[in-house]
Structures are given as structure tokens and as C-alpha cells.
Amino acid sequence: MTKIYPNAASSSSSPSPLSSSDDCKIGGDDPVVLTVWKKSLLLNCEGFTVFDPRGNLVYRVDNYMAAAKGHIFLMDASGATLLTIRRKKLSLGDTWLIFDGETAENPRYTVRKNVSLLNSRCLAHVFQKKSVPIYLIEGSYARRCCSVYDEKRRRVAEIKQKEASVTGVAFGKDVFRLEVQPGFDAAVAMGMVILLDQMYGSGRFI
């Protein structure tokens, strides 16, 4: 059987290679390729489990369905909250806020689902304290084929289907790759994955 998380059992005893301040320092100038599994490692939870190229647990999302109160926490391997994602209340369209840690003030980013039919490839716009978006997310989340572009149209992160190392074995849509370019915060990239799943996924946590 092809393993999704080869070192998950030992990840709790070894330090996580990524943190909210690392900004994708794995591999120096090379992109970081993470494996995202749309599954919580805890029972009775909805969420995500994310592993680095060595199979170490780096991020997790564990949302108890009965306890969800309009927010999602992105945690590191030890359970410390890196980002808090909240739906913006009383807003037009599907708008979300990304906060650092467990704060609920001064959001780091505002993410709006695209509702315009003029650019059907656009999935969402990401803002940071100004009316012009600093990131644009395009592609198809259903096919796990999305890219995040910055203001200069440089790809900073990409969602791709994951291919199994064993010929003839395929992962489903719940297991995919997140490729993050150097200089872009891997935690923020994972936060965008969470929001795409809320906006376009088959099921929502909250």
C-alpha cells in the first residue's frame, strides 16, 4: 500500500521543519512540496493533515462538527495555532478573514470568492488592507489544479494532483500536492487551500 504519511508516527517526537515564521525555508531556493490529506487524524473531526517531503507532519486542521463556531484553526504539528480563519459576517458574497495566531483583530488577509462571470478561471481574490488584490487564485479546485499569483503575475503556490509512486495506484481527490515557492509563507498557502475547500469543496466545516 502506498503510504501518504510515512513518518506520521514519529512526527510528535521530532521538531516540525516548518513554522509560521519559516516562510518556506526548506530546500533554500527550491520550492517546498507538501502533501495535503483532506482528513483529520482525530476521530469525529473534519480537517486536513499536511506532511513535508520527508513525511513529517507539519500542519493540521481538526474541526469538531458539533463545536464549530464560525472559525477554523490551522495548527502546527504540536497543536499551536498558526492562523485563524473566520467567515466575515454581514458581507456581500463569500468573504473570509485570515488572522495570525488566535487573534480576532486586524486580519492579515481578506479573501473574497470570485462572483464575476468575466473571468471564469478566477476562484478568489486576496486583499491586504487595500482595495486592489495582492494575490489572485485561478484554476479548478474540483480538479485539484489551482495556482496563486502575486501582483506581478508570478506563481507563488500551486495545487496539483498527487501521483502515487506505485504504477497503477492513484490517490483520490482527498490527497493532493501543495507546491510553495521560496519566499511565500507555506502556512498562508495552506490557509488558502482551506478557504478554497470552504468555497468550492463538497463539504464545509463551518
Side-chain angles (χ1 to χ4, degrees), residues 1-6 35 161-171 175 177:
M1 179 179 177
T2 301
K3 292 184 178 180
I4 298 174
Y5 50 101
T35 295
Q161 293 182 343
K162 184 175 178 64
E163 298 178 357
S165 58
V166 179
T167 303
V169 177
F171 292 110
V175 180
R177 298 170 61 200

Side-chain angles (χ1 to χ4, degrees), residues 57-184:
L57 176 66
V58 287
Y59 301 130
R60 49 187 282 200
V61 175
D62 304 307
N63 262 45
Y64 288 98
M65 297 296 289
K69 296 180 179 180
H71 57 253
I72 300 172
F73 296 122
L74 174 65
M75 300 175 288
D76 63 14
S78 64
T81 300
L82 302 177
L83 299 174
T84 298
I85 298 172
R86 299 177 184 272
R87 185 190 297 274
K88 188 175 182 180
K89 298 180 180 179
L90 303 177
S91 63
L92 296 176
D94 207 349
T95 303
W96 296 76
L97 304 173
I98 299 178
F99 300 87
D100 285 316
E102 296 186 22
T103 62
E105 298 181 356
N106 300 319
R108 184 172 176 181
Y109 298 106
T110 298
V111 184
R112 297 176 186 168
K113 181 178 180 179
N114 180 48
V115 295
S116 173
L117 299 178
L118 298 179
N119 185 359
S120 60
R121 285 188 51 80
C122 178
L123 300 178
H125 298 89
V126 183
F127 301 84
Q128 190 178 45
K129 297 181 180 180
K130 57 182 179 179
S131 59
V132 179
I134 60 171
Y135 298 113
L136 180 69
I137 307 175
E138 293 184 348
S140 171
Y141 181 72
R143 297 199 303 267
R144 302 301 187 261
C145 181
C146 308
S147 295
V148 181
Y149 297 98
D150 66 9
E151 295 170 293
K152 297 182 179 180
R153 194 62 185 178
R154 294 174 298 191
R155 183 185 289 115
V156 296
E158 188 174 9
I159 297 171
K160 299 180 178 180
Q161 293 182 343
K162 184 175 178 64
E163 298 178 357
S165 58
V166 179
T167 303
V169 177
F171 292 110
K173 292 184 178 180
D174 287 347
V175 180
F176 52 94
R177 298 170 61 200
L178 175 61
E179 185 173 305
V180 186
Q181 297 299 320
F184 191 68

